[in-house]
Amino acid sequence: MKSKKILSVILSAVMLCGTFLIGTPTLAAEEMPFTDVKSSDWFYESVKYAYNNSLMEGTGGTSFSPMMKLSRAQFVTILGRMAGAEKKEVSTFPDVEANSWYSGYVGWAVEAGIVKGLDNGTFGGNDPVT
């Protein structure tokens, strides 16, 4: 139940911020490829908005993983996409592989002062957002 509440808050924030940053949602765009998101799910419209506006691509070709915890790497990627950020590769963190799917957004978030990393000098991209 706790993960459902967290996902609801995050997806609501994505939709709200996305409306301000991107404009009117395009919910009528292409169908989603996700087999783990059904039209009867409470989060369906939020996932559809995030997917159709290129804020989230899912965790695989046909999976979105709506009950998975959001990682720090996913979070900065979503924020960067919402802001229309220019990706910036940085070598600040030893655990962020250059040219990975999220590294450019980590660089942007560092430069923007959004993230500083963990006390041990790493970014902790796989760590959940708390």
Side-chain angles (χ1 to χ4, degrees):
M1 197 66 164
K2 186 176 181 181
S3 64
K4 183 176 178 179
K5 190 173 189 176
I6 291 170
L7 179 63
S8 177
V9 169
I10 290 170
L11 289 175
S12 295
V14 166
M15 284 186 67
L16 179 61
C17 292
T19 300
F20 291 117
L21 295 171
I22 297 171
T24 305
T26 56
L27 294 179
E30 70 182 80
E31 287 299 314
M32 297 184 297
F34 311 124
T35 58
D36 57 353
V37 178
K38 297 178 182 26
S39 60
S40 59
D41 290 331
W42 63 268
F43 48 80
Y44 177 80
E45 291 299 327
S46 297
V47 171
K48 189 172 180 181
Y49 175 85
Y51 176 73
N52 287 338
N53 287 284
S54 301
L55 301 176
M56 298 176 170
E57 297 173 356
T59 57
T62 59
S63 54
F64 186 81
S65 304
M67 297 303 169
M68 184 176 85
K69 291 183 179 182
L70 187 70
S71 73
R72 292 168 52 87
Q74 292 168 324
F75 187 67
V76 297
T77 300
I78 294 165
L79 289 178
R81 289 176 179 168
M82 287 174 63
E86 182 179 325
K87 294 180 185 180
K88 304 206 183 230
E89 291 292 329
V90 295
S91 59
T92 306
F93 305 110
D95 62 332
V96 175
E97 184 178 331
N99 299 311
S100 63
W101 61 269
Y102 66 96
S103 61
Y105 291 115
V106 172
W108 162 78
V110 167
E111 187 173 278
I114 296 170
V115 296
K116 294 182 182 178
L118 305 175
D119 289 339
N120 65 4
T122 64
F123 176 67
N126 292 325
D127 293 352
V129 173
T130 56

